[in-house]
Amino acid sequence: MAEEAAVSEAAFSLQSITITDEAKDDYQYEEVSADDEISLHEDDEDLSKALQNVQEQTENARVLALQSVLTSKKSVSETPQAMDDFFCNFLVRLGMSRTLDCFQTEWYELIERGLLTVEAAGLVPDVYTRNQQLEAENVSLKKDLENYKHSVNKKEEALLKMQRERDFHRMHHNRVVQEKNRLISDMKRLKAHYASYEPVLKQLSEKYQNSLTQKMLTSLERDKAMGQVTGLQAALESLESGYNKQIPETKVGHDCTRKKGFEGPTQKALREARQQKFHVVASSSCGPDDDAEKKKSRRDLKDSEFPVDAEGIPYLEQAKEHTQPLKSGQYQLSSILKVHDFAVSCLAVHPQKKIVLSGGDDRLWKTWGFPDGNILLTGEGHTDWLSGCCFRPSGTQLVTSSGDTTVRIWDLSRRGCILTLRGHSRAVRGCSWHSCGDFVASASTDGTSKIWDVNSERCRYTLRGHEDSVNSIEFLPFSSTVLTSSADKTLSLWDVRTGLRVYTFQGHVHSCNHATFNKKGDTIASCDSSGVMKLWDMRKLLPVVSIDAGPHPANQVSFHRSGGLVALASSEGSVKVLCLAVGQLSILRGPGVEVRCVRFHSQDYLLSAGADGRVCIWTWAQ
């Protein structure tokens, strides 16, 4: 440790000198005389005085030593820098190493020769050193001043820009406020103007609804009277001819045939007028315009006659057989069938055979056996998702509607599309086949519904009146009435013979997704996007039951053939069944995905299809 301390001390010293005991210096020591102040006088031999004098002298020596130390520190701190050190530091600072080497070599040679001494070189004046420090500080301050000026200029530019933007936004705000005030005043004026017309509009609306109701009732009475007259004429003719004519029974699912013996006076007059028009056109000259008129007349001649509302429903006897209330029990999940790859959007049941028709988002329709699920036929041709499907009452054909704005009619025996009906401008949401088999109805998101004549292959009427998308459409069996549900929160009854709306049901507060008739045709069930289901009386034209099955949307409703059960397809992944006899709502939970459609099959089965492409079969268990 001692050696390391000696090495470190030598490293920081300019010259190391070793002092020995034999060394002698030139210092001359002075001899202390006996008469010095420290010596005691002979007369003064008192011990106490001697001690006091010694203490005073010691104190004085200590004060003198302290003063000398302070003086030495001050002199060291105030000693100016030597000239050679100044030049060395100056050259080092400038990086002039070769000049520094030359200076040191020549400086130490002159000192060794004795031509130059450190004292003769002198010291750097304090004023010069201070001037250099002040000059350096002045340069630094000038740089700071330039930086501050540059920052101030930038801040001034930013301030001017913000002031201009503030003025622009202030002017824009004032203009917006003026426009707002003007719009508010216009709205107030329009509200006041509308309020003045509101009582009149309400009165006219009530008169219009009353007129439509009276018109519908009058039409029903007229059709009933015409049916009675036709029956009486047929009976009279049979009595006059001398034999009793038997009225054929109409079987379930067969086409409604019209025979000349049962033709009413209105239908007979229309047929005769068309035949006469055809003969007149055929006997006229054959020019270009005449050819077009002749072609049009021939096409019109193919148009089917709209059926007269029957006095009684041919299915009524069958419906009465199933009006007996079901025995106590509930539906249970019996099987799940994977039918489509994507969501199933519609279901239909064959009128005669155990065959089910389904359509989905995979653009295909499929017929499969019930209940095994074996695929019988697959139809492709639509370019977008299928929204609706329905069998023809005879069971030989089917109709489908799609998001590609078309309606297609397919023949099961030919296994292909035989007719494509185009006319809607947007996606078609549903379709329905009339019980006579000559007419097809379609509903579209363009806000219209269309009545298509299958025989003449053209649109007979376009039903306009809804303010939003028409989501479903269905014929009242054996009548000229069609039911539509719309996103404008209303249901409407239409007379397809005139293309006019007969009545509007109002009561839903959200978009109506679906509506349907029961087997008897005296009750309507509807559902909306908030999960509310309503039952309407066709005779009173009023709602009789309202069930809140929400908050999830209800997609479709279906009546059991007995009319005592109503099934609801819910987006929460369940099927809700309402028993009208006891007012009980039961919930059937299946795979848990959104249920798109629901349909009763025969007496004891219920079908439901969801967004996963599977169909659930529920069986009534006591």
Side-chain angles (χ1 to χ4, degrees), residues 63 112 118 127 160 164 249 268 277 491 493 561 616 621:
V63 171
E112 288 179 358
V118 177
V127 175
L160 292 176
R164 287 194 296 268
E249 296 181 357
K268 184 177 179 180
K277 182 179 180 181
L491 312 177
L493 292 175
R561 60 173 55 188
C616 296

Side-chain angles (χ1 to χ4, degrees), residues 387-430:
S387 57
C389 58
C390 182
F391 278 107
R392 189 169 186 168
S394 62
T396 58
Q397 296 177 350
L398 58 92
V399 62
T400 57
S401 59
S402 170
D404 61 5
T405 71
T406 64
V407 178
R408 292 176 182 262
I409 297 178
W410 311 76
D411 193 302
L412 298 180
S413 60
R414 300 180 187 178
R415 300 188 177 186
C417 177
I418 61 174
L419 180 60
T420 301
L421 304 174
R422 307 177 188 274
H424 288 289
S425 60
R426 294 186 181 179
V428 184
R429 292 298 305 272

Side-chain angles (χ1 to χ4, degrees), residues 72 116 269 275 388:
S72 63
L116 180 68
Q275 289 179 353

